[in-house]
Amino acid sequence: MDKENNSTHEEQNPSCKINPEITRRDFIGTVIRFGLLATLAGMVLPALSYLAPVTKRGPAGGLSDVGGVDDIPVGGGKKVIVAGSAVLVLHTAQGFKAFSAVCTHLGCLVAWDESRHEIVCPCHGGVYDVDGKVVSGPPPRGLPPHEVSVVNGRIMVKA
Ligand code: FES
């Protein structure tokens, strides 16, 4: 046998600093462990973020700025988040009104139907009027109102 073939990699390449303690098996094991850890993190982190409380909250019990008066034309409506809850803001000829956007039947989010001038629930056909009172369908009661005011051209809704 040739002497050169019996020499180690480091003997053949003195400038090379490969650690002889790390075997191919160790290296592949490390790569597999890293891959399993990354996969586990990819599954656990989204679950934890789902369980975390909503962080986009306004001041507790205070007024939340939900936009400028020009953002909602007369006859229009807009869904916003106030202190972590969905709120429907309407701009009527009498001014701004705000209601919980959660249907009192089974909790679907209602929407403003500008053409019908009514608040409608897409789930079971519940209909509310512009004052949040039940017009038809299964909702047992009207939509809870929120206080709304205009301050310096900004629409402010109380949680
Ligand atoms: S959840 Fe709205 S009508 Fe049923």
Side-chain angles (χ1 to χ4, degrees):
M1 215 187 240
D2 185 14
K3 185 180 179 189
E4 195 170 296
N5 285 340
N6 287 336
S7 63
T8 65
H9 175 76
E10 285 179 330
E11 288 170 346
Q12 292 173 4
N13 305 298
S15 62
C16 184
K17 300 283 185 199
I18 293 177
N19 186 348
E21 302 293 319
I22 298 175
T23 64
R24 181 177 295 156
R25 184 179 298 242
D26 291 340
F27 175 74
I28 291 173
T30 301
V31 168
I32 289 173
R33 279 191 290 277
F34 179 77
L36 287 174
L37 210 63
T39 303
L40 196 65
M43 292 184 330
V44 170
L45 291 179
L48 290 178
S49 70
Y50 177 77
L51 295 174
V54 175
T55 55
K56 189 178 177 184
R57 294 185 187 278
L63 297 174
S64 291
D65 183 336
V66 298
V69 292
D70 297 334
D71 293 347
I72 308 174
V74 176
K78 177 183 175 186
K79 260 185 268 188
V80 296
I81 301 294
V82 175
S85 300
V87 172
L88 181 64
V89 180
L90 304 179
H91 192 174
T92 69
Q94 292 77 40
F96 288 95
K97 297 180 179 190
F99 305 96
S100 165
V102 179
C103 182
T104 57
H105 180 222
L106 293 179
C108 291
L109 288 183
V110 298
W112 174 242
D113 187 326
E114 203 168 325
S115 61
R116 291 168 50 186
H117 224 67
E118 291 175 322
I119 301 167
V120 295
C121 178
C123 291
H124 310 102
V127 179
Y128 304 86
D129 67 13
V130 73
D131 293 316
K133 294 184 180 119
V134 178
V135 173
S136 64
R141 59 191 170 282
L143 296 169
H146 282 258
E147 270 183 47
V148 61
S149 57
V150 174
V151 179
N152 296 328
R154 307 296 299 175
I155 306 166
M156 308 297 286
V157 175
K158 192 169 183 180

